[in-house]
Amino acid sequence: DDSFNQAPARWRPAGGIWQVTNRWECDPRWSFLAGMPPALAARRAEAMGKLVTPEARWAVEMLRAQLERTPDRTGKLAALWHKGEFPGDVAFECFVAQMMDMARGGGDYRKYVRNFCLTLCGDGQDLASGYSWVFGADGNTKSKILRGPQVVAESPIRIPTEANIHRKWFRLRAEKQGATVRFGAYTQDQREAPERKILEMSYEDPAPLSGKRLAVWTYDNGILVTRARIFCGEAGPLEDAFQPVP
């Protein structure tokens, strides 16, 4: 169970810029672990450079330092792999939210909300090696389950973009049990309200994949990850921190 209030030592960025930063560009407070493609990180650094608070200056300096080191300034992927191995049955939950992007519409989230994604049974290098769930695929017009690169299930349900998505969080859940993979999205309309299911999808695989790695990611978007929980019968070792990863 990771709440990301300390260094995320059990996770490895594999695309984009990942750092603790503010959710809304107009307010330097309310900071969480965020994953951004380099283009979004550059826009955010420019927008936040206009804020004069010490918090904003620190965040801008960190963004610019990471942008200088990123190998692909034009990439659209932001991905975070867990360093552990999880063979057998497993469930993986992430609590995620949408980052504000003033350059693409700001408060009009319909223009850029998309691609809240989880991967199960991957190899730790290629997201297309496992089962992936794309909540809000194809410009937030549908949702999909992929087995490797192949789409095996679709739903017309997308990420809801009503006005309160400005503050809303989503619980995303991925499960593998035997030959069955399930994915679901849940949220609460108010803090004391019961949780509400938005979407549940499943797929029966006649030849289940055997990968052991998990990832949370997005494409052409920025997301915040405030908590991740993994439920498993067996957990393997973490990656060697000193071994280079392709």
Side-chain angles (χ1 to χ4, degrees):
D1 187 354
D2 283 303
S3 57
F4 301 110
N5 60 338
Q6 296 179 338
R10 289 188 289 266
W11 298 83
R12 172 171 51 82
I17 305 298
W18 288 85
Q19 75 170 52
V20 173
T21 190
N22 50 310
R23 179 174 182 174
W24 300 293
E25 293 176 12
C26 57
D27 193 330
R29 301 170 297 170
W30 311 107
S31 295
F32 306 94
L33 179 65
M36 300 162 276
L40 172 56
R43 292 196 303 269
R44 174 163 283 256
E46 181 178 357
M48 290 176 59
K50 300 173 183 178
L51 301 176
V52 294
T53 64
E55 295 90 346
R57 285 196 294 271
W58 174 84
V60 169
E61 289 171 6
M62 293 301 295
L63 282 172
R64 289 175 175 164
Q66 290 200 66
L67 282 166
E68 289 176 1
R69 296 193 296 269
T70 188
D72 183 5
R73 293 289 295 267
T74 63
K76 294 186 177 182
L77 176 68
L80 196 65
W81 284 99
H82 197 282
K83 294 180 180 179
E85 295 183 352
F86 304 95
D89 294 345
V90 63
F92 175 36
E93 290 187 340
C94 280
F95 292 75
V96 305
Q98 175 67 44
M99 289 185 71
M100 176 181 273
D101 188 347
M102 292 297 292
R104 298 175 75 180
D108 188 356
Y109 288 90
R110 296 169 298 176
K111 295 181 177 179
Y112 58 93
V113 170
R114 65 196 65 190
N115 300 332
F116 293 177
C117 309
L118 300 180
T119 292
L120 288 174
C121 303
D123 62 4
Q125 298 180 27
D126 185 356
L127 293 167
S129 64
Y131 302 105
S132 291
W133 181 51
V134 184
F135 182 33
D138 297 350
N140 198 28
T141 60
K142 62 180 69 173
S143 297
K144 300 178 178 180
I145 297 176
L146 295 93
R147 182 191 187 277
Q150 179 184 3
V151 177
V152 294
E154 288 192 358
S155 169
I157 297 176
R158 56 181 180 78
I159 303 167
T161 54
E162 64 270 18
N164 62 350
I165 194 176
H166 185 66
R167 295 181 175 86
K168 191 179 288 293
W169 289 90
F170 299 89
R171 178 171 68 94
L172 308 183
R173 182 177 174 91
E175 303 176 21
K176 178 183 180 293
Q177 185 175 20
T180 305
V181 290
R182 301 184 189 90
F183 297 93
Y186 308 81
T187 193
Q188 290 173 283
D189 294 318
Q190 297 292 335
R191 178 178 294 180
E192 303 302 326
E195 192 175 56
R196 178 169 58 90
K197 182 191 297 183
I198 301 171
L199 173 62
E200 187 171 78
M201 302 177 68
S202 64
Y203 169 64
E204 296 284 338
D205 191 349
L209 300 175
S210 58
K212 304 174 184 178
R213 304 293 296 279
L214 312 172
V216 55
W217 54 283
T218 188
Y219 188 82
D220 193 26
N221 192 23
I223 59 170
L224 302 149
V225 183
T226 192
R227 190 176 191 180
R229 301 191 293 202
I230 300 169
F231 309 82
C232 60
E234 180 184 354
L238 297 178
E239 289 178 353
D240 183 345
F242 297 99
Q243 180 177 350
V245 179

